């Protein structure tokens, strides 16, 4: 059943149809005391009902945008009906590497608008929207740590009644963020059955930090291509720009190396649980259109195992009791004394450099177990021959450095340049070894200690560039059952989004050292997650990280961000991402009423 209602403005009558069954809403939202409040709708008093998403555009902090822009936000409270079928995204520089990306990003833009329209609605009529995308450096199509990601978005009405959005940016990467912001300004109003957009807006924006990522482990459990794409879709919607792919580990080797295919043949969980060259191409394309770099990690010399069985280059593989040789089963470590191991590494690096064309490379380098190496007879003999003492930690560190220096040489040979390398904090980043083992002009250190660990200070005082993944705020695998013990897992409890939100670089590094922080990255180690649960582990918490590092408020207040955060979680769900629920929908609908110390009591206003 459809019924038609008309609203009479000054000059124009706008009509809309409602096919939802009940044409007359009894509730709507009004901006009162700076918040959207659910009010009884009486059509003799209010001419036009507003849905909550529409109300937010003119009432919420920063028009409800997530992450909150760092520049100016001015948005009109007059809304126009947009015709979904006449939205065009047009690159101004038509024959450049960027223009193809802009056209692809335009498709994503339209898909995201479509996703906001509930199935039973078919909005009709409305004005056309032309999105002009003006890129100053259109030849630039790869993200680096120096890429300018700023943009300006200007929305206006033309004299002949069409809507025009102008997105200006230095690079495609800024422009696609502008499109993403525009996406959030177009809402489906289910009280009107229309797609609405503010008639005017002016937004300037750029990220506070250049590196904003998620590290996903695809070895402990395999993650399907679809689940990886959902992850990338959520990242794009939240302006995260780095998908750090921890593609292999001891448990399985799903990466199909073109030059060493036997590694995945032996090491994948099954022939279907692999990432082929074609899969990787698809993922990189999907990511690039969303402004995301795909950063490959090949973790070594620890965190190897399955797949290496027949090479002769792995030791301690599945040794028991595993507690003596590694942090979790199955154990496995490369044998640095075997010359052939570096040939295999060179081949893997070469394959990855060719496929990913990365601007930075991750060599892993965490959790080397010295007891494993010194319990390997041929390693002990080799060390003796070199005058190293297997009982001395510093000599085992020498062995590790021998491995790292050789592995780095092979990487450089394949990259044909000194590509910046990321390594996890480890023994090598201890103060006594750090500056010799990992020179700061070569290595970026990814911190996974707690945010208050002494290593953080050591690294910053020595002038290292760092990426923060401090486990006490950014390990999203914490807080589930133990799997090698009873009780809860090692880094319990579960980390709430509020903690993620307030973990800003300035808070960890301090105001005088924050310039050394490239950004932050949330980690999902997948011992206890797979494609069925990856969405709810990551989202919406990774969006909290996104604002901590894009906006990076000086005094982060989750309370002030809560309503925008809840709104963004709804956007993620609309995109088909299984983002976890944070609180009852009642609290989404009754802003500011659920928190302890809430000041508003909208009950009285229903009378
Ligand atoms: C709507 O408001 C008018 C004017 O205040 C009032 O007379 C009428 O009773 C209200 N209708 C409802 C359903 O509350
Ligand atoms: C090796 O180091 C251990 C522990 O420090 C020491 O007791 C031992 O004498 C050393 N061995 C040699 C051959 O120096």
């Amino acid at each position: 059943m459809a019924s038609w209602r008309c609203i009479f403005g000054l000059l124009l009558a706008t009509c809309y149809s409602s096919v939802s069954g009940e044409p007359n809403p009894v509730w709507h939202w009004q901006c009162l005391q700076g918040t959207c409040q659910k009010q009884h709708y009486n059509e003799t008093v209010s001419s036009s009902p507003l849905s909550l998403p529409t109300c937010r555009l003119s009432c919420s902090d920063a028009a409800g945008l997530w992450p909150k822009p760092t520049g100016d936000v001015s948005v009109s409270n007059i809304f126009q009906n947009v015709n979904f079928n006449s939205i065009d995204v047009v690159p101004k520089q038509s024959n450049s590497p960027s223009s193809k990306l802009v056209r692809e990003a335009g498709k994503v833009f339209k898909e995201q608008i479509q996703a906001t329209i509930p199935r039973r609605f078919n909005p009709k009529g409305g004005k056309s929207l032309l999105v002009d995308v003006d890129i100053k450096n259109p030849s630039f199509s790869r993200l680096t740590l120096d890429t300018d990601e700023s943009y300006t978005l200007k929305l206006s009405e033309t004299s002949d009644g069409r809507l025009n959005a102008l997105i200006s940016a230095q690079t495609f990467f800024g422009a696609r963020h502008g499109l993403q912001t525009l996406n959030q300004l177009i809402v489906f109003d289910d009280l009107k059955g229309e797609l609405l957009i503010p008639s005017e807006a002016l937004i300037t924006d750029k990220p506070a930090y250049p590196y904003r990522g998620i590290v996903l482990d695809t070895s402990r459990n395999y993650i399907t291509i679809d689940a990886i794409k959902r992850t990338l879709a959520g990242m794009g919607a939240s302006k995260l720009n780095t998908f750090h792919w921890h593609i292999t580990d001891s448990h399985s080797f799903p990466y199909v190396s073109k030059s060493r295919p036997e590694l995945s043949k032996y090491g994948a969980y099954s022939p279907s649980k692999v990432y082929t060259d074609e899969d990787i191409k698809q993922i990189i394309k999907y990511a690039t259109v969303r402004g995301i770099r795909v950063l490959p990690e090949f973790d070594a010399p620890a965190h190897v195992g399955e797949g290496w069985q027949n090479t002769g280059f792995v030791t301690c593989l599945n040794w028991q009791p595993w507690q003596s040789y590694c942090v979790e089963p199955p154990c496995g470590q490369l044998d640095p004394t075997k010359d052939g191991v570096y040939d295999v590494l060179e081949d893997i690096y070469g394959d990855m450099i060719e496929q990913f064309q990365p601007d930075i490379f991750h060599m892993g380098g965490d959790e080397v177990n010295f007891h494993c190496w010194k319990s390997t007879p041929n390693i002990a003999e080799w060390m003796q021959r070199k005058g190293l003492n297997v009982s001395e930690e510093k000599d085992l560190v020498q062995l590790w450095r021998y491995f790292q220096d050789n592995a780095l040489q092979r990487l450089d040979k394949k990259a044909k340049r000194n590509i910046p390398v990321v390594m996890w904090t480890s023994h090598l980043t201890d103060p006594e070894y750090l500056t010799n083992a990992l020179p700061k002009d070569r290595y970026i250190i990814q911190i996974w200690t707690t945010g208050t660990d002494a290593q953080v200070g050591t690294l910053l005082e020595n002038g290292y560039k760092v990426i923060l993944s401090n486990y006490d705020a950014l390990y999203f695998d914490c807080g589930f059952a133990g799997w090698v013990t009873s009780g809860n897992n090692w880094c319990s409890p579960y980390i709430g989004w509020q903690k993620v939100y307030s973990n800003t670089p300035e808070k960890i590094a301090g105001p005088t050292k924050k310039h050394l922080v490239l950004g932050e990255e949330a980690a999902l180690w997948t011992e206890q997650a797979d494609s069925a649960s990856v969405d709810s582990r990551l989202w919406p918490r990774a969006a909290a990280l996104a604002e901590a590092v894009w906006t990076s408020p000086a005094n982060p207040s989750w309370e002030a961000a809560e309503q925008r955060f809840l709104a963004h979680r709804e956007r993620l769900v609309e995109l088909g991402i299984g983002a976890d629920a944070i609180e009852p929908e009642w609290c989404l609908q009754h802003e500011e009423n659920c928190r302890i110390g809430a000041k508003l009591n909208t009950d009285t206003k229903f009378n």
Side-chain angles (χ1 to χ4, degrees):
M1 182 184 83
S3 70
W4 287 83
R5 312 192 70 227
C6 298
I7 294 165
F8 296 93
L10 276 179
L11 295 166
L12 293 167
T14 323
C15 299
Y16 61 90
S17 79
S18 165
V19 290
S20 59
E22 170 48 64
N24 302 308
V26 296
W27 301 109
H28 76 145
W29 274 262
Q30 279 186 310
C31 188
L32 298 167
Q33 300 171 339
T35 59
C36 292
Q37 296 191 24
K38 193 172 184 176
Q39 298 284 304
H40 182 211
Y41 176 64
N42 181 335
E43 62 184 306
T44 58
V45 180
S46 314
S47 57
S48 170
L50 287 187
S51 73
L52 178 55
T54 314
C55 177
R56 277 200 204 101
L57 287 176
S58 57
C59 190
S60 288
D61 181 26
L65 295 169
W66 191 280
K68 187 174 168 173
T70 52
D72 298 325
V73 177
S74 92
V75 174
S76 157
N77 59 5
I78 298 165
F79 304 109
Q80 301 290 344
N81 180 8
V82 188
N83 183 344
F84 178 74
N85 296 314
S86 50
I87 296 175
D88 284 302
V89 177
V90 180
K92 225 171 161 181
Q93 295 74 17
S94 55
N95 278 316
S96 64
S98 289
S99 62
K100 200 166 156 236
L101 285 172
V102 168
R103 276 187 274 269
E104 292 293 320
K107 284 185 206 155
V108 175
F109 174 75
K110 287 198 74 172
E111 281 163 18
Q112 291 192 185
I113 295 170
Q114 180 123 55
T116 66
I117 305 171
R119 197 157 33 96
R120 65 173 181 277
F121 287 92
N122 183 14
K124 294 211 171 62
K127 298 183 171 184
S128 65
L129 169 64
L130 176 66
V131 184
D132 283 314
V133 179
D134 187 8
I135 296 175
K136 297 280 174 301
N137 298 312
S139 58
F140 188 86
S141 62
R142 296 206 69 85
L143 185 66
T144 70
L145 292 171
D146 303 318
T147 298
D148 186 326
E149 293 178 274
S150 68
Y151 69 90
T152 300
L153 167 63
K154 189 169 185 293
L155 190 57
S156 56
E157 266 186 283
T158 61
S159 51
D160 56 352
R162 287 175 297 122
L163 295 161
N164 182 245
L166 174 63
I167 293 171
S168 320
Q170 294 297 316
T171 66
F172 163 74
F173 296 91
R176 64 81 44 203
H177 295 321
L179 275 173
Q180 201 60 57
T181 297
L182 183 57
N183 255 134
Q184 296 188 6
L185 294 178
I186 301 173
V187 301
F188 182 75
D189 187 311
D190 63 358
L191 301 182
K192 291 193 175 63
E194 293 176 351
L195 272 179
L196 297 182
I197 187 170
S199 57
E200 287 181 9
L202 183 60
I203 293 168
T204 57
D205 196 9
K206 65 175 182 198
Y209 293 90
Y211 186 104
R212 306 177 304 279
I214 286 178
V215 49
L216 184 64
D217 164 11
T218 59
S219 167
R220 273 60 178 267
N221 275 305
Y222 181 77
I223 308 291
T224 61
I225 306 294
D226 281 350
I228 291 176
K229 285 185 177 173
R230 288 200 304 279
T231 303
L232 294 167
M235 291 177 67
S238 310
K239 302 191 175 98
L240 290 170
N241 70 358
T242 303
F243 176 66
H244 166 180
W245 196 349
H246 184 87
I247 193 164
T248 61
D249 208 295
S250 306
H251 302 66
S252 77
F253 199 108
Y255 171 66
V256 180
S257 158
K258 276 195 258 183
S259 21
R260 300 278 176 166
E262 64 281 5
L263 291 167
S264 56
K265 221 174 159 94
Y266 283 91
Y269 279 129
S270 86
S272 59
K273 291 184 171 169
V274 293
Y275 304 108
T276 64
D277 188 44
E278 194 44 49
D279 295 334
I280 290 168
K281 280 200 179 89
Q282 232 189 77
I283 285 169
I284 292 171
K285 182 168 177 235
Y286 195 89
T288 307
V289 168
R290 286 161 180 77
I292 301 165
R293 72 157 62 74
V294 181
L295 166 61
E297 173 179 352
F298 191 78
D299 199 352
H303 292 282
V304 299
E306 291 290 336
W308 290 85
Q309 289 93 337
N310 297 336
T311 61
F313 302 138
V314 67
T315 182
C316 312
L317 182 55
N318 196 21
W319 281 12
Q320 301 289 350
W322 60 264
Q323 297 94 311
S324 303
Y325 307 104
C326 61
V327 292
E328 69 183 56
C331 298
Q333 235 159 250
L334 294 179
D335 179 344
T337 68
K338 298 273 172 68
D339 292 339
V341 76
Y342 303 103
D343 298 333
V344 182
L345 289 175
E346 182 180 325
D347 284 346
I348 296 171
Y349 296 149
D351 291 340
M352 286 185 165
I353 296 281
E354 187 192 323
Q355 283 168 318
F356 292 90
Q357 293 173 37
D359 63 314
I360 44 184
F361 192 84
H362 206 302
M363 294 182 83
D366 55 322
E367 296 185 314
V368 167
N369 185 300
F370 286 153
H371 193 242
C372 158
W373 275 346
K374 70 183 183 194
S375 308
T376 305
N378 73 284
I379 294 180
E381 283 159 26
W382 186 91
M383 285 181 69
Q384 224 164 12
R385 281 204 303 279
K386 302 265 173 189
L388 299 169
N389 185 337
V390 291
S391 305
E392 292 277 357
E393 182 187 284
K394 65 173 179 39
D395 287 7
L396 286 152
V397 167
Q398 279 300 110
L399 177 65
W400 187 353
R401 284 190 53 192
Y402 173 83
F403 172 85
Q404 183 55 34
D405 293 348
N406 277 290
L408 182 69
Q409 243 177 46
R410 300 304 184 105
L411 175 68
D412 288 349
K413 189 172 159 194
K414 285 299 179 179
K416 300 188 178 71
R417 65 191 170 104
N418 286 0
I419 185 171
V421 168
V422 191
M423 297 266 288
W424 295 103
T425 44
S426 70
H427 253 40
L428 292 189
T429 58
D430 281 345
E432 58 268 51
Y433 309 121
L434 172 68
T435 50
N436 284 327
L438 304 172
K440 70 169 184 226
D441 55 354
R442 206 53 230 279
Y443 289 96
I444 296 163
I445 307 299
Q446 185 162 11
I447 292 172
W448 69 280
T449 62
T450 64
T452 53
D453 191 279
Q455 280 208 23
V456 180
T458 304
L459 288 161
L460 295 172
E461 276 145 34
N462 283 289
Y464 281 81
K465 291 197 186 81
V466 300
I467 295 162
L468 300 174
S469 293
N470 50 305
Y471 80 79
D472 52 335
L474 297 176
Y475 269 32
F476 289 179
D477 50 317
C478 304
F480 294 87
W483 61 280
V484 289
T485 58
S486 61
N488 293 335
N489 64 16
W490 73 275
C491 59
S492 288
Y494 181 89
I495 298 159
W497 75 272
Q498 297 93 332
K499 186 157 192 189
V500 178
Y501 186 77
S502 52
N503 186 75
T504 58
E506 182 158 356
K507 210 173 131 191
I508 305 295
T512 61
K513 292 279 189 279
K514 65 175 184 179
H515 65 282
L516 292 168
V517 181
L518 294 173
E520 298 194 359
E521 187 163 86
L524 184 57
W525 305 110
T526 56
E527 285 89 348
Q528 297 177 282
D530 67 8
S531 309
S533 51
V534 65
D535 292 18
S536 61
R537 293 281 201 283
L538 285 173
W539 307 103
R541 290 183 294 172
L545 162 77
E547 183 154 307
V549 74
W550 176 285
T551 317
S552 220
N555 297 299
S557 156
W558 66 267
E559 290 93 339
E562 185 179 16
Q563 289 304 326
R564 283 185 304 106
F565 187 64
L566 293 177
H568 191 63
R569 186 261 168 187
E570 299 296 299
R571 290 182 196 118
L572 295 170
V573 171
E574 282 167 358
L575 292 179
I577 297 159
D580 222 347
I582 295 293
E583 47 195 86
E585 188 163 358
W586 193 91
C587 302
L588 172 86
Q589 291 199 350
H590 297 81
E591 294 193 2
E592 319 286 342
N593 279 257
C594 288
R595 223 177 293 132
I596 292 170
K599 290 192 188 67
L600 291 171
N601 178 356
T602 53
D603 268 1
T604 55
K605 301 194 185 68
F606 297 155
N607 298 323

